[in-house]
């Protein structure tokens, strides 16, 4: 006779499991509303889901560190962002458009995009553009593939036509 009773969709085991995985707070609620399983099992799963929910919320709100940075990468960012502008003319080497650490080091604040392209050997990809060209504080951000670790890259920001910030990850 129990097989003829229609179970609401939100009480089905597969819905509760998927909710626990993809939307932990909702899964936790459905776990307690659903009468399946003993109290001990529900308490155990509540503790596990509470920890998982905290990690889930941290990931949603940006509490986690999406890109691991090395002290070297942080130091490069701080040096590039400083007010020191020792722009030195650099000859353009014949190389691939992927940037290596030597090229990154050769690039200095105050350089134009064309000077950077001459050092790197190829153009970057325009990632963002803020403001109107010709207006004060017009900013363009370019990304370049890097040589080194998996995912190595460089991000350069040009404000009013000159390099103002440079960052890198994983260059060798």
């Amino acid at each position: 006779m129990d097989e003829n009773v229609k179970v609401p969709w939100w009480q089905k085991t597969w819905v509760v499991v998927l909710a626990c995985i993809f939307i932990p707070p909702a899964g936790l609620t459905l776990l307690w509303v659903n009468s399946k399983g003993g109290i001990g099992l529900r308490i155990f799963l509540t503790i596990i889901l509470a920890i998982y929910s905290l990690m889930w919320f941290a990931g949603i709100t940006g509490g986690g560190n999406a890109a691991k940075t090395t002290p070297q990468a942080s130091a490069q960012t701080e040096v590039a962002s400083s007010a020191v502008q020792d722009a030195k003319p650099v000859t353009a080497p014949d190389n691939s458009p992927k940037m290596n650490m030597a090229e990154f080091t050769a690039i200095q604040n105050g350089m134009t995009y064309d000077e950077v392209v001459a050092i790197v050997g190829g153009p970057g990809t325009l990632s963002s553009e803020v403001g109107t060209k010709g207006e004060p504080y017009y900013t363009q951000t370019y990304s370049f593939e890097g040589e080194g670790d998996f995912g190595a890259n460089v991000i350069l920001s040009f404000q009013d036509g000159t390099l103002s910030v440079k960052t890198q990850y994983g260059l060798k």
Side-chain angles (χ1 to χ4, degrees):
M1 183 132 174
D2 282 334
E3 32 189 285
N4 292 335
V5 176
K6 183 150 175 109
V7 177
W9 66 268
W10 49 271
Q11 285 188 340
K12 294 188 178 188
T13 304
W14 66 271
V15 172
V16 175
V17 170
L18 287 177
C20 287
I21 293 171
F22 295 109
I23 311 170
L28 190 58
T29 304
L30 291 175
L31 181 70
W32 283 96
V33 170
N34 193 346
S35 59
K36 292 181 182 176
I39 190 80
L41 176 64
R42 285 193 262 174
I43 290 173
F44 174 75
L45 290 175
T46 298
I47 292 169
I48 299 299
L49 280 173
I51 293 168
Y52 180 65
S53 293
L54 291 174
M55 292 187 302
W56 184 77
F57 276 125
I60 293 287
T61 60
N65 190 1
K68 294 181 180 177
T69 58
T70 61
Q72 181 182 18
S74 298
Q76 291 292 343
T77 301
E78 291 171 13
V79 169
S81 299
S82 69
V84 178
Q85 299 202 2
D86 294 331
K88 299 174 187 171
V90 179
T91 58
D94 290 330
N95 60 6
S96 76
K98 288 188 174 183
M99 194 179 304
N100 60 37
M101 184 56 87
E103 293 167 339
F104 181 81
T105 305
I107 295 170
Q108 300 295 320
N109 283 350
M111 288 184 167
T112 65
Y113 176 72
D114 292 333
E115 291 172 321
V116 169
V117 169
I119 292 171
V120 176
T125 302
L126 182 62
S127 304
S128 73
E129 195 170 16
V130 178
T132 305
K133 194 170 189 172
E135 296 281 322
Y137 308 112
Y138 172 66
T139 304
Q140 292 177 306
T141 302
Y142 290 89
S143 59
F144 291 82
E145 288 186 50
E147 293 178 0
D149 296 339
F150 179 74
N153 66 76
V154 173
I155 298 175
L156 304 175
S157 291
F158 295 84
Q159 189 170 45
D160 297 328
T162 60
L163 180 65
S164 59
V165 177
K166 67 178 191 174
T167 60
Q168 65 88 18
Y169 170 78
L171 292 184
K172 301 245 177 179

